[in-house]
Amino acid sequence: MPETLYIIDTYAQIFRAYYAIRGGMRSPVTSEPTHAVFGVAGMLFKLFNQFHPHYVVAARDMPGPTFRDTLYAEYKATRSATPDDLISQIERVFELVDCFGIPVIGYPGLEADDVIATITRQVLENPAYSDVHIRLVSRDKDLEQLICDRVSLFDIHTDTTIDAATLKETKGIEPHQVVDYLALLGDKVDNVPGVPGVGEKTAQQLIAQYGSIEGILANLD
């Protein structure tokens, strides 16, 4: 069995735990909310006890604007403020991750996605790691562009893997077409506009027929 590197999209796991677990969990010592911390702890215990990873790293967003904000001032402008009882748990989660001995990597001006992509590319291009496979612990559709024979997305909560075959079966596209597919659709969550009137099915049909946005532009008639 090949060695495997698990790259955790940490903020995605924090938000998922926060909204999935309710019931007013609080520390009996400090009275601070703990349900997001509890959820991430459960995810980490499952990762180590069930999957026995060879390598693990956690990617994180850093405070402050990113290069995307410079490119597009309305980027994420419609997102609501982070709840106060979540803000207080975020650094606790990173303390927890540190207790597991997992390195946390972030870089000013970049998002966790960029860190994940950078680590993935460095591993794939380094001959010393040619036998290492990568599992991205995330459901982020933006990361589907990284999928290849050694890289897959992994939803640890449902034990669901998205590889190139899954992507082709569910969306009718290949990893190198993900960027064009998402550009056609846009992203409501990040407040990024797509092509008016183009939904998932139309985007799939256009990519299937013309291959890329460049191919579409060459056949606008």
Side-chain angles (χ1 to χ4, degrees):
M1 182 177 180
E3 293 187 339
T4 304
L5 164 64
Y6 286 78
I7 308 178
I8 301 171
D9 186 352
T10 315
Y11 269 93
Q13 294 299 323
I14 293 173
F15 276 90
R16 182 165 183 168
Y18 175 81
Y19 287 106
I21 302 173
R22 292 301 190 181
M25 296 179 66
R26 291 186 175 274
S27 165
V29 178
T30 65
S31 294
E32 61 189 292
T34 59
H35 55 291
V37 182
F38 177 81
V40 174
M43 180 274 294
L44 292 174
F45 278 120
K46 179 177 181 179
L47 174 63
F48 282 94
N49 291 333
Q50 186 169 329
F51 298 100
H52 309 289
H54 298 91
Y55 313 103
V56 184
V57 64
R60 69 168 296 174
D61 300 315
M62 298 297 287
T66 71
F67 71 93
R68 292 177 178 83
D69 297 286
T70 303
L71 291 171
Y72 180 53
E74 298 302 311
Y75 181 62
K76 293 186 177 180
T78 56
R79 285 197 177 185
S80 56
T82 304
D84 291 338
D85 65 335
L86 173 55
I87 293 174
S88 63
Q89 297 184 70
I90 290 175
E91 288 310 314
R92 289 295 195 193
V93 168
F94 286 109
E95 290 176 16
L96 171 72
V97 172
D98 183 63
C99 288
F100 272 82
I102 301 172
V104 178
I105 301 179
Y107 194 85
L110 300 182
E111 296 184 358
D113 289 2
D114 306 307
V115 174
I116 291 170
T118 301
I119 296 171
T120 297
R121 183 169 182 175
Q122 288 180 342
V123 171
L124 292 178
E125 293 181 351
N126 191 326
Y129 307 131
S130 60
D131 293 332
V132 175
H133 286 228
I134 301 172
R135 273 184 154 184
L136 310 179
V137 185
S138 177
R139 298 189 304 173
D140 190 339
K141 60 184 181 301
D142 296 340
L143 296 175
E144 291 174 350
Q145 62 191 283
L146 301 177
I147 291 173
C148 65
D149 58 339
R150 288 168 55 197
V151 180
S152 61
L153 267 65
F154 180 59
D155 185 343
I156 192 170
H157 302 280
T158 62
D159 297 341
T160 302
T161 298
I162 299 177
D163 55 17
T166 306
L167 190 64
K168 187 70 173 179
E169 180 182 352
T170 58
K171 296 184 179 180
I173 58 174
E174 299 179 15
H176 72 274
Q177 297 173 317
V178 168
V179 173
D180 289 346
Y181 175 74
L182 294 178
L184 291 172
L185 288 180
D187 191 331
K188 291 182 179 179
V189 175
D190 289 341
N191 196 39
V192 176
V195 177
V198 174
E200 292 183 2
K201 290 185 178 180
T202 302
Q204 292 170 13
Q205 292 171 355
L206 289 171
I207 294 297
Q209 186 169 356
Y210 300 109
S212 65
I213 286 180
E214 287 76 10
I216 296 169
L217 292 174
N219 293 276
L220 286 180
D221 58 321

